[in-house]
Amino acid sequence: MMLSLVRRKVAATASSSLSGSLGRARSAAVLSHPRNYQTQYLKSGSEQIHSFCDQGHSDNSRHVRNVVSNIRINNSTLVWSRSYSSDSGELVEAVVPYMGESITDGTLATFLKKPGDHVDIDEPIAQVETDKVTIDVASPESGIIKEFLAKEGDTVEPGTKIAIISKSSEGVTHVAPSEKPPSKAVSEPSPAPAEKEKMDKQIPKAETTLPKDKPKVPSPPTSRSSPSEPQLPPKERERRVPMTRLRKRVATRLKDSQNTFALLTTFNDVDMTNLMKLRSEYKDAFLEKHGVKLGLMSGFVKAAVSGLQNQPIINAVIDGDDIIYRDYIDISIAVGTPKGLVVPVIRNAERMNFADIEKEINTLAKKATNGSISIDEMAGGSFTISNGGVYGSLLSTPIINPPQSAILGMHSIVNRPMVVGGEIVSRPMMYIALTYDHRLIDGREAVFFLRRIKDVIEDPRRLLLDI
């Protein structure tokens, strides 16, 4: 009886000690990190109280010490941990911008920055390649690039998140070296020596066996190629590179042009003497007044405008069972760039003079070369001029740029012997070619158009007199 009363008193004393220790630990945990510690306290407290009820007084004291020590160790670790989220306002996301009305997706071509680099607001961090142009993805805020959410070569759409940027230069706070996580020996008490010896007896010892030598399999005899078999180059000397979206788009459109149009090409040659003389005489005065050099392309654009006005069918296009006649003249100029062929458009060329045309060509050519040309500057166009002569082409048959119906090809200027006034003289000559859709344009209109180009280039005074 007396022994029972002593046990109850000891149990009551230990219980009050346990409750006080747990209460003080919970108060400290709640003040520092309320959400994390409420769960930790309830879990650890319930387990230790259950052990207290099942075991004696000596075990109860040990469990009380373990509960308090565990809570203190976890408390010091969790107080110093810090996490960021998009809700905190310190992180922003860089997304793919709107790419144009007819473009639904693109390929993430390259990253211009690396994680950890500092970026300013509106500074490009990546480039997206589309069927027509290359678009920059700009940073919405100034800060540090934390991580990339996409990789090069991925197909992205407008609104796709590609990077996370931290507006503050600080990252996630790391645990200091002195604040090491609790060791396993502290959180989990080591088993008693008797139990350890018992466990060692239960684990069977692995038998060490020496590996046996595998029988050698004779290698098959090398087959000698017969003299008649062709000797192909090894695959190691070949490289496979994926096509860019611009190159795939150009290839598709050109093949569609061959499959759709009834292509036919007519040729003529042009004496460039008078146009080159005009350019040589007035190039300095032209540059001084208009701030741009006088080239040969403006003369061919003016000649093309005159030819399209004389032969409106060249400027028309087939749409189903109808013919659409355009009362405006938008001249597309084919420009070769390192990334592929682009065709910027000179709008309302019939209203421009030589200076306006040269300025527009110069502006569009620079944008096409550095990749800053927009989709709107390449959309449309009713007729195309391609100058292969800048690369040394002597003669070619250009392909129509859909949905147009004809294209003029210029070539290199070569001095050739010509008969002028009954005498053989050397003249700078250029071959010109007109490829047209024979479904819509007859040979008569095509030849008359090319003849008009020849007459205006050989005698530019016709443009002034409109003859």
Side-chain angles (χ1 to χ4, degrees), residues 439-457:
R439 301 176 305 164
L440 175 65
I441 304 170
D442 293 331
R444 174 179 176 271
E445 286 80 9
V447 172
F448 281 171
F449 173 83
L450 209 58
R451 183 69 189 186
R452 179 62 181 175
I453 299 289
K454 176 181 173 66
D455 292 341
V456 171
I457 295 299

Side-chain angles (χ1 to χ4, degrees), residues 127-288:
Q127 289 184 335
V128 177
E129 190 178 74
T130 67
D131 298 342
K132 299 180 180 179
V133 294
T134 300
I135 299 175
D136 292 334
V137 180
S139 172
E141 296 286 347
S142 298
I144 303 296
I145 298 178
K146 187 177 181 183
E147 64 174 319
F148 290 141
L149 303 179
K151 58 184 179 179
E152 295 181 358
D154 288 353
T155 300
V156 294
E157 300 176 352
T160 302
K161 303 172 184 178
I162 67 167
I164 295 179
I165 300 171
S166 175
K167 292 190 288 186
S168 63
S169 59
E170 300 177 357
V172 179
T173 304
H174 297 284
V175 179
S178 60
E179 302 170 356
K180 295 181 179 178
S183 60
K184 187 176 180 181
V186 176
S187 58
E188 298 180 6
S190 59
E195 296 178 359
K196 185 176 181 181
E197 184 178 355
K198 185 178 179 180
M199 292 171 59
D200 292 341
K201 290 181 179 180
Q202 292 177 354
I203 299 175
K205 296 183 178 180
E207 297 180 359
T208 57
T209 57
L210 296 175
K212 298 181 179 179
D213 295 337
K214 295 182 180 180
K216 295 182 179 180
V217 180
S219 59
T222 56
S223 59
R224 296 181 180 178
S225 58
S226 61
S228 60
E229 294 181 0
Q231 298 296 326
L232 300 178
K235 294 295 183 180
E236 291 77 10
R237 299 177 61 186
E238 298 178 351
R239 292 183 297 115
R240 183 181 293 270
V241 179
M243 293 176 64
T244 62
R245 295 180 70 94
L246 178 60
R247 173 54 55 192
K248 288 190 289 187
R249 181 62 175 171
V250 170
T252 301
R253 286 177 61 85
L254 293 180
K255 190 57 183 175
D256 290 343
S257 176
Q258 284 188 327
N259 296 338
T260 302
F261 299 141
L263 300 176
L264 189 61
T265 305
T266 183
F267 302 92
N268 212 323
D269 58 356
V270 179
D271 188 350
M272 301 292 294
T273 302
N274 291 332
L275 183 61
M276 294 177 67
K277 182 180 179 181
L278 178 69
R279 177 192 179 190
S280 177
E281 290 179 359
Y282 295 101
K283 63 179 182 180
D284 295 334
F286 190 88
L287 176 61
E288 182 180 355

Side-chain angles (χ1 to χ4, degrees), residues 3-21:
L3 181 59
S4 177
L5 290 174
V6 171
R7 285 182 178 177
R8 289 198 194 100
K9 188 173 182 180
V10 171
T13 303
S15 176
S16 61
S17 176
L18 173 62
S19 301
S21 299

Side-chain angles (χ1 to χ4, degrees), residues 30-108:
V30 169
L31 289 175
S32 61
H33 216 297
R35 294 184 180 178
N36 293 341
Y37 274 94
Q38 186 175 1
T39 305
Q40 178 70 21
Y41 165 73
L42 292 176
K43 181 178 179 183
S44 301
S46 61
E47 292 176 354
Q48 301 300 336
I49 290 172
H50 179 72
S51 300
F52 173 81
C53 297
D54 293 342
Q55 299 179 11
H57 181 266
S58 60
D59 293 339
N60 293 333
S61 301
R62 178 167 55 87
H63 285 298
V64 170
R65 289 194 298 270
N66 289 342
V67 171
V68 176
S69 62
N70 284 341
I71 292 177
R72 288 176 180 172
I73 292 172
N74 292 337
N75 184 26
S76 63
T77 303
L78 291 175
V79 164
W80 291 103
S81 66
R82 182 181 180 186
S83 60
Y84 290 113
S85 65
S86 58
D87 297 335
S88 65
E90 295 185 1
L91 301 181
V92 293
E93 296 164 337
V95 299
V96 177
Y98 175 72
M99 296 184 288
E101 184 176 353
S102 61
I103 299 178
T104 58
D105 58 12
T107 301
L108 186 58

